[in-house]
Amino acid sequence: ENRSFKLSYYNEYKSYLSMVASQIASLLTKIENRSRKRRDRLAQVFGVANGRRIGVVLNTQMEMAARRKINELRWEERHRRRRSRHCGVEDTETEDNKLYHGSEMFLKGTQSANPHNDYQQHFVDTGNRPQNYIRDVGVSERFEEYPKLKELIRLKDDQIKEYATPPQYLHGDLRNINLRDTLKSEFDIIYVDPPLEEYYRRAPGIYNTKTWTWEEIAELKIDEIAGNPSFIFIWCGSAEGLDMGRQCLRKWGFRRCEDICWIKTNKNKPGNMSYLEPKALFQHTKEHCLMGIKGTVRRSTDGHIIHANIDIDIIIDEEKAYGSSEKPAELFNIMERFCLGRRRLHLFGGDTNLRAGWVTVGPDISASNYNPEQYLAYFKESRLLPQIPEIENLRPKSPKPRPGGRGRGGRGAGGIARGRGRGRGGVGYMQPR
């Protein structure tokens, strides 16, 4: 009886083990299926043929080996320093003369022993661009630690708003408009935002605006409506426009003096670009706005015309919706704070761009209210913003030139208009970032 009891107990225990083994096998199968699906999804994201190849892309085993190697090196370094302290031996090996043999101590895609700061690799893994993590990019946060500059911005914005003319707008196709005869005015700031062919290549079928070639843009008679001095800002994309935009400036009588760059973030929609330029080697996450000057303006003596070095030459703003050619509104603030001229023209604008202090012309405007005589009447007293002591005391100033000096861009000292072989002393308008 005792033997039969043991045998029955053994059979029950054996059946119990087989049941547990089957449950474990079923659970492992589920885990393996979930892992396979996850790998297949990652394979689609990284463009790998199948989920079995994802390990090559992620390089998991190499990363683990690298981490182990880093920990070993750190332990050896601590042990060596502790031994040198106890034995009274001077530590002659410094950080500058360490020799690293091989690349196994560095993690994948980075040249730093701290992989958490490798934002380029983070973009490859997650689609979040490095510029997403730049702090205090908005105007309200940018000057929190600079109270004088913050007060200067507030004073200038209030003055610009006080002296701004009512919004003026004109509907029409710029191919058929004679700018000089229609507007009957010269302008201090000319802002050009053309519908480039590059924008259509980014979103074919979505970008419905009729595009302009650079040859057609160059035929605009900008030189006939540009004052002396005056400034032009033209968006030129990030491809062939970088060269063609400069040619347009030369044809219109302007000299390029700055290049304002819009760095596009993708916080709202991380991922790879929805478009890739056919001839591009990298993903384009920026766009350029060229700035040109007509005439000669000196930063040190012409403070009644320009206020230099208030803004920077970089705009960090979220990328607009797919198929949109809308630009950051911050550029309006940069132009208005820089140039004290009140005659401002925006070409290729739309209903969403109407702004006090500006004349907006373009085919996407639904109505017209521009009257040349009424517009010119706003500038009978002066076309410039007045100089007030509060702003003059706060704004950055350039040192006045010494007698007999010569400016870099234009004849005379302290000139900021750039030219080849014209002396020294001129620099750019915007603060570098």
Side-chain angles (χ1 to χ4, degrees), residues 16 20 43 54 61 88 141 168 219 263 274 301 309 354 356 429:
Y16 171 76
V20 171
I54 195 64
Q61 294 182 355
E141 305 93 6
Q168 306 286 315
E219 292 302 318
I263 308 297
S274 54
T301 59
N309 293 332
L354 303 183
Y429 297 104

Side-chain angles (χ1 to χ4, degrees), residues 211-231:
T211 59
W212 281 53
T213 64
W214 279 105
E215 289 74 16
E216 292 174 323
I217 297 171
E219 292 302 318
L220 291 172
K221 303 300 181 180
I222 301 292
D223 52 323
E224 297 180 355
I225 57 172
N228 190 357
S230 60
F231 305 91

Side-chain angles (χ1 to χ4, degrees), residues 262-278:
W262 171 24
I263 308 297
K264 303 178 182 180
T265 61
N266 65 343
K267 298 178 183 178
N268 298 332
K269 193 176 180 181
N272 291 330
M273 301 291 291
S274 54
Y275 67 92
L276 292 175
E277 284 289 336

Side-chain angles (χ1 to χ4, degrees), residues 236-294:
C236 57
S238 58
E240 68 277 1
L242 292 172
D243 295 325
M244 300 302 297
R246 286 167 167 80
Q247 296 181 21
C248 290
L249 293 185
R250 285 193 293 270
K251 182 176 180 180
W252 296 333
F254 289 86
R255 297 183 299 279
R256 189 202 70 83
C257 54
E258 286 292 345
D259 183 347
I260 301 175
C261 189
W262 171 24
I263 308 297
K264 303 178 182 180
T265 61
N266 65 343
K267 298 178 183 178
N268 298 332
K269 193 176 180 181
N272 291 330
M273 301 291 291
S274 54
Y275 67 92
L276 292 175
E277 284 289 336
K279 298 181 180 180
L281 302 179
F282 305 102
Q283 295 193 31
H284 289 175
T285 63
K286 60 177 175 49
E287 198 162 333
H288 296 264
C289 177
L290 298 180
M291 176 183 174
I293 179 175
K294 182 178 181 181

